[in-house]
Amino acid sequence: MINFMNVIQIMEQKKTEFTPNDQLIYQKISKDPGKIVQMTTSALSDACGVSQPALTRFVKGLGYSRYQDFRADLIAWLAEQRTQQMPDCEHLEYFSVMNQLLREAEKILTDSYMRSLACYINQFNRVFTTGVSKSFQPASLLETLMMKTGRFFHAVPNDNISELSDSMMENDLLIVFSVSAKHSLLKSLSSSTGKIMLVTVTSSHPYQELIDRQVLLPYIPPTPEESAVSPVLFDMFVEILCRYLTH
């Protein structure tokens, strides 16, 4: 893997060798790298107007074996840029908050808890996932990580939730990621015959009766919505969950 300090520099050095497809990808990444790292490979290739194999060739041309490795280094590069822009006190405060959050999450996501959760999810024939705003990223990540297993895991955009609610069967599960659990998306699921599992950081919400199972993750006060690291914790939870779902 290339050192993350060289990600942008490598693209700049090689852009004279880029194919027309490479140029499209390069321009999209350069314009808004923060948005790019939140996109799946299919979403990025669609946004660039190229095929997924073209995206794979692009990152391999930069020295990466997989797009995921390129994305990880781009995320690290972005974090470094943001850190440099922060006053020292804010920089240290962010990492202090993150460490506190991880310690609290470790108390909740124990081995026995995760085994029980995986057993619950694995009983369903089809598993759908969705999320509100930035919380759609962990929903998409769950689909991506489970793709190799042959299991049915499908991320559904918010716009299609009403249709999904009408078509879900009793042996279907919808996993909803939502920091606040206050979005009207949950209300639209009231007539669904399938089961709903909510992953949130908000213990009090008006949809308790709709939820078959809830995963309550920690947050740092004052409010869940102001906890900038909550979406990051969702991604970590998904990665841990997938290990239990596949073993």
Side-chain angles (χ1 to χ4, degrees):
M1 185 182 295
I2 298 171
N3 187 290
F4 67 81
M5 291 295 290
N6 294 325
V7 171
I8 302 301
Q9 295 174 359
I10 285 286
M11 288 196 296
E12 291 297 324
Q13 291 170 359
K14 289 184 172 290
K15 67 180 181 180
T16 57
E17 305 170 12
F18 285 167
T19 65
N21 281 343
D22 290 341
Q23 285 288 350
L24 292 172
I25 299 169
Y26 163 74
Q27 290 168 9
K28 180 65 69 173
I29 293 173
S30 299
K31 183 178 180 180
D32 192 351
K35 182 178 180 180
I36 295 303
V37 297
Q38 298 181 27
M39 301 172 73
T40 62
T41 54
S42 60
L44 177 55
S45 59
D46 288 345
C48 295
V50 302
S51 65
Q52 290 193 50
L55 181 58
T56 300
R57 288 192 293 270
F58 173 79
V59 298
K60 285 187 175 180
L62 299 178
Y64 293 88
S65 59
R66 305 182 308 158
Y67 171 76
Q68 288 82 354
D69 296 332
F70 169 80
R71 177 178 176 273
D73 278 1
L74 186 57
I75 290 172
W77 180 84
L78 284 166
E80 178 69 16
Q81 300 305 302
R82 291 165 183 163
T83 296
Q84 291 175 1
Q85 294 169 6
M86 289 181 181
D88 287 345
C89 59
E90 291 183 13
H91 172 204
L92 294 174
E93 181 182 0
Y94 180 88
F95 284 103
S96 175
V97 168
M98 178 61 80
N99 285 331
Q100 182 181 347
L101 195 66
L102 291 175
R103 287 196 297 271
E104 293 300 317
E106 188 175 11
K107 297 176 185 178
I108 297 171
L109 305 179
T110 63
D111 179 67
S112 60
Y113 180 85
M114 295 306 299
R115 287 180 184 276
S116 173
L117 193 59
C119 184
Y120 168 77
I121 295 172
N122 280 334
Q123 70 179 306
F124 294 96
N125 293 337
R126 300 190 301 176
V127 179
F128 299 92
T129 64
T130 193
V132 179
S133 189
K134 291 182 180 179
S135 297
F136 186 73
Q137 166 61 27
S140 180
L141 178 62
L142 182 54
E143 176 190 40
T144 300
L145 294 179
M146 293 299 293
M147 195 175 296
K148 295 179 181 178
T149 67
R151 294 280 311 281
F152 186 101
F153 277 75
H154 180 54
V156 181
N158 294 173
D159 293 344
N160 299 334
I161 289 301
S162 293
E163 291 82 355
L164 174 63
S165 177
D166 294 337
S167 62
M168 283 179 67
M169 297 179 287
E170 291 184 2
N171 56 352
D172 291 337
L173 173 68
L174 173 62
I175 302 176
V176 180
F177 293 87
S178 176
V179 172
S180 67
K182 296 177 182 178
H183 197 274
S184 58
L185 166 84
L186 288 163
K187 187 176 181 180
S188 67
L189 297 168
S190 58
S191 61
S192 175
T193 57
K195 300 298 184 182
I196 301 169
M197 185 180 103
L198 175 65
V199 182
T200 184
V201 297
T202 304
S203 58
S204 178
H205 56 79
Y207 302 110
Q208 298 287 356
E209 293 183 359
L210 296 178
I211 308 304
D212 186 60
R213 184 143 183 171
Q214 177 170 290
V215 175
L216 185 62
L217 297 176
Y219 74 92
I220 303 301
T223 66
E225 291 86 349
E226 294 178 26
S227 179
V229 292
S230 293
V232 177
L233 187 60
F234 280 1
D235 283 354
M236 293 180 181
F237 164 73
V238 166
E239 299 229 13
I240 296 170
L241 176 62
C242 287
R243 295 176 188 174
Y244 282 86
L245 290 173
T246 55
H247 289 89

